[in-house]
Amino acid sequence: MTHKRVAILISGGGSNMVSLVDSMVGDHPARPCLVLSNDAEAGGLKKAAARGIPTAAVDHRPFKGDRAAFEAELLKPLEQAQPDIICLAGFMRVLTGDFVSRFQGRMLNIHPSLLPKFKGLNTHARAIEAGETEHGCSVHEVTAALDDGPILGQARIRIEAGDSAESLAAKVLIWEHKLYPAVLRRYANGDRTPVLLP
Ligand code: GRF
């Protein structure tokens, strides 16, 4: 069986990356081929290396906002790894339309809200401020518009009285770790039927 090759892009601790990597075993149709970060100090790189996965880092800061130049460097480890699928997992750089178009139809992202609600940052605080009773996370295919592509999975939770942005983030993260692996397994099998949790 030829496994699909998956590259995972991270910026921080990498808990979603770990849940993806730990799920790609046994009869799973995919295997990780690279964990790539825009921060060489990202905690997730050490976790990936400890699991025997090739890692690389391309620091965005020296490019001083020149996204095309940053992405030209970011492409080098990707071209070496030759992924079939790219998973953005807590990758906090906004990618240009040019970069996205190279991987159109094979790049996924996890976002901590029930898209299309609360695209962008601070999703948990905004959901509480808006008086929402439900919240959650979404996995979508990446397109040029931020947090906008076809939805491939969602997990819903109730917002309880007394929930803070922090307590909500912690609850949603638990479901992120279940949703993303479930979507990736289906997607790597060529199945785009949305995963709906719980
Ligand atoms: C997650 O909540 C993810 O949805 C968001 O950033 C957080 C990253 O967590 N984009 P981790 O780095 O995967 O632990």
Side-chain angles (χ1 to χ4, degrees):
M1 173 181 183
T2 312
H3 293 103
K4 293 268 172 63
R5 298 170 62 80
V6 177
I8 307 172
L9 274 59
I10 67 170
S11 292
S15 70
N16 275 292
M17 177 274 296
V18 167
S19 65
L20 289 171
V21 165
D22 290 355
S23 75
M24 286 187 261
V25 293
D27 68 349
H28 194 292
R31 293 292 184 271
C33 66
L34 174 70
V35 173
L36 174 59
S37 177
N38 62 298
D39 181 353
E41 302 310 314
L45 290 176
K46 292 189 189 65
K47 296 170 189 166
R51 285 164 171 77
I53 302 159
T55 64
V58 177
D59 189 339
H60 65 278
R61 288 164 292 197
F63 297 96
K64 299 189 169 46
D66 182 343
R67 291 198 284 166
F70 164 60
E71 290 171 358
E73 279 307 306
L74 201 64
L75 277 173
K76 292 178 180 169
L78 285 168
E79 275 158 4
Q80 264 187 349
Q82 288 294 308
D84 301 295
I85 298 170
I86 293 182
C87 289
L88 306 183
F91 185 69
M92 303 310 279
R93 307 307 302 168
V94 177
L95 298 164
T96 66
D98 283 352
F99 188 94
V100 170
S101 62
R102 281 170 176 266
F103 303 102
Q104 192 74 54
R106 56 197 186 99
M107 186 152 55
L108 308 181
N109 180 44
I110 186 146
H111 182 74
S113 83
L114 294 174
L115 292 171
K117 287 184 177 177
F118 309 117
K119 297 176 181 179
L121 299 174
N122 309 319
T123 59
H124 310 300
R126 290 160 61 202
I128 291 170
E129 264 155 43
E132 297 284 332
T133 55
E134 270 199 325
H135 186 46
C137 52
S138 308
V139 175
H140 64 96
E141 219 169 60
V142 177
T143 56
L146 185 68
D147 301 331
D148 191 61
I151 293 172
L152 297 162
Q154 287 193 318
R156 288 173 184 273
I157 64 167
R158 292 201 60 70
I159 299 181
E160 309 294 346
D163 259 327
S164 64
E166 292 69 31
S167 66
L168 205 46
K171 285 196 263 187
V172 169
L173 197 58
I174 292 167
W175 284 99
E176 291 183 41
H177 297 162
K178 296 177 186 173
L179 179 67
Y180 214 171
V183 169
L184 177 61
R185 178 182 272 271
R186 225 177 242 191
Y187 194 79
N189 272 323
D191 179 356
R192 282 174 163 68
T193 317
V195 175
L196 301 175
L197 300 177

